[in-house]
Amino acid sequence: AVFTMRLLARRVQHLSDEVKELTRRTTRAVRACRPQMLDLVGVGPDSAAVLLIAAGDNPERLVDEASFAALCGVSPVEQSSGKTQRRRLNRGGHRQANAALYRIVQTRIRWDERTQEYLRRRTAEGMSKREIIRCLKRYVARELYRHIQPRATNQVASAA
């Protein structure tokens, strides 16, 4: 039993070292490509890398911020039953990018004062937490697009 426990402890330590090294490499790669992304609240190296990979794998789809939201599966889709007019998020898109946006939103709900205030305000207006998270994911996608595709925003700003 002691031998097995030692063996497992060594394996856990080895895997922990691998995770630390991969996190360092991912952070370096993201900082080299889009350093400002890691300064945003809730955006860690893993989430940033997933979003950059999703955008880089689909450059022909990224014509504007709305197309990035659709790529991440956070574009609104009409959902009406005849009596109610509602929107839901598109269930398509890059699932890992959608999960990265969800992690960012969850982190912001826990640590960011602006997001907590938004959550309180929208809850008071009668929105469910699920609907609020949907809105927040869309806002985060909009914010991150400006950092992922800085050329597109610069072209729009210079044209104005």
Side-chain angles (χ1 to χ4, degrees):
V2 173
F3 174 76
T4 304
M5 294 303 285
R6 248 189 240 137
L7 198 62
L8 287 172
R10 274 193 226 121
R11 183 72 180 141
V12 166
Q13 185 159 11
H14 176 71
L15 290 173
S16 296
D17 292 342
E18 278 186 33
V19 167
K20 287 177 188 172
E21 177 59 27
L22 287 172
T23 301
R24 274 194 294 273
R25 288 174 181 237
T26 303
T27 304
R28 256 195 321 262
V30 170
R31 284 227 184 269
C33 182
R34 297 287 190 273
Q36 71 281 5
M37 280 185 74
L38 296 178
D39 297 333
L40 300 172
V41 177
V43 181
D46 294 338
S47 297
V50 166
L51 292 165
L52 287 169
I53 288 169
D57 283 348
N58 299 280
E60 72 284 350
R61 287 183 63 182
L62 296 183
V63 293
D64 59 6
E65 176 269 325
S67 63
F68 178 69
L71 172 68
C72 295
V74 294
S75 57
V77 174
E78 290 294 328
Q79 179 185 21
S80 303
S81 66
K83 291 185 179 182
T84 60
Q85 290 286 70
R86 290 185 12 197
R87 290 191 175 116
R88 67 169 175 79
L89 288 186
N90 181 354
R91 290 193 176 96
H94 195 281
R95 302 318 302 154
Q96 288 85 9
N98 190 293
L101 291 175
Y102 181 79
R103 285 190 302 272
I104 293 167
V105 165
Q106 289 300 319
T107 302
R108 288 182 177 192
I109 286 173
R110 183 153 187 204
W111 301 106
D112 184 42
E113 185 59 40
R114 290 179 318 151
T115 306
Q116 292 167 357
E117 176 55 37
Y118 179 83
L119 182 66
R120 284 190 290 272
R121 182 170 51 85
R122 298 297 271 191
T123 302
E125 292 173 3
M127 287 182 76
S128 69
K129 189 164 183 179
R130 183 177 183 181
E131 292 172 318
I132 296 167
I133 289 173
R134 174 188 62 80
C135 293
L136 286 169
K137 283 166 62 175
R138 183 71 167 96
Y139 292 140
V140 169
R142 183 175 295 130
E143 178 185 6
L144 289 173
Y145 177 75
R146 286 185 241 134
H147 294 281
I148 290 173
Q149 293 287 57
R151 294 173 308 280
T153 354
N154 290 342
Q155 290 170 356
V156 170
S158 63

